[in-house]
Amino acid sequence: MTTLEEPRADAAGSVPLSRRTVPFGARLAAAGLVLGAGANTLQAVLGQVVERPDEVADQIRVFNEHEVLFTTMHLAGTLAVPFMAIGFVAAAHLLARRARRTGWVAGTMLVVGMFGFLAVHVAEMIQLAAILDPEGEAAATYLHGMDGAPLLAVTFGLPFLIGAPLGLLVLCVGLLVVGARVPRWIPAAWLVFAVLDFTIGGVGPVDPHWLYLLGAVGLAHHVLRDGAAAWRKS
């Protein structure tokens, strides 16, 4: 964390130092927002190009026919998660300046959700490697059968399925209600994204992740504007 010291005059006219703590620098916050949302959106858009079959035999055929596409999609999705976590922590920090407990709750839930999300992506990368291996059909079938394993579902699946949507809901509603000096269209866009993404998904060819990316770019601009004053003094 970074501690900033700002002068403020007291009633007697002296200027003591007040301390504000930020989790990291404004540039890292902006980079996390844009890179995380950008890579996550890229994965979602590529996922619309070729549908992933349910059966392992069909997956092996389709994955080998579109090896570059699926490899790019999974790499983008996996690399996105750490940056997404940074971006969500940045947004929660802005909320915590006006509503400390709400910001901490939202940030904690989203970090837990990203832990589960990263584990899911790593598991998919391992399965993809097995599928693309000419002799990996048995391993791919085994990994595919582990999707419903109770221990893995509780350890990784539930943290994502509970932490991510609820954390986003708390974050967006909190930013809209308390007015944390963040343009209201940003949490509104993220709220619509969360509702669509965790319910019906894409509407025709339009993927809701574009709303996530739009809001992330807008929030990054807000964080960096006026020499990052919005980040330090929010």
Side-chain angles (χ1 to χ4, degrees), residues 145-171:
M146 292 182 68
D147 289 347
L151 181 60
L152 293 179
V154 171
T155 305
F156 304 123
L158 288 182
F160 169 65
L161 293 175
I162 295 176
L166 290 182
L168 261 179
L169 180 63
V170 173
L171 174 68

Side-chain angles (χ1 to χ4, degrees), residues 9-93:
D10 59 14
S14 61
V15 186
L17 290 175
S18 63
R19 301 171 70 85
R20 288 180 177 273
T21 301
V22 295
F24 33 72
R27 291 183 179 179
L28 179 57
L33 284 162
V34 174
L35 293 176
N40 186 243
T41 301
L42 176 62
Q43 181 193 25
V45 171
L46 291 178
Q48 290 186 332
V49 176
V50 178
E51 184 176 354
R52 176 172 175 166
D54 293 328
E55 298 299 324
V56 176
D58 294 330
Q59 289 181 11
I60 293 175
R61 174 181 55 81
V62 173
F63 280 26
N64 280 281
E65 290 175 353
H66 305 277
E67 180 176 345
V68 174
L69 186 146
F70 278 102
T71 301
T72 302
M73 181 178 71
H74 284 287
L75 279 175
T78 303
L79 294 175
V81 181
F83 292 106
M84 292 173 67
I86 292 172
F88 286 140
V89 170
H93 162 71

Side-chain angles (χ1 to χ4, degrees), residues 211-232:
L211 290 172
Y212 172 37
L213 178 58
L214 179 65
V217 172
L219 192 57
H221 177 266
H222 171 75
V223 165
L224 292 176
R225 71 177 186 179
D226 301 327
W231 179 248
R232 298 193 304 268

Side-chain angles (χ1 to χ4, degrees), residues 4 48 54 63 67 98 100 118 124 127-128 160 162 192 199 218:
L4 303 174
Q48 290 186 332
D54 293 328
F63 280 26
E67 180 176 345
R98 288 297 184 90
R100 183 175 178 81
L118 181 61
E124 289 183 347
Q127 184 181 12
L128 175 63
F160 169 65
I162 295 176
V192 175
T199 54

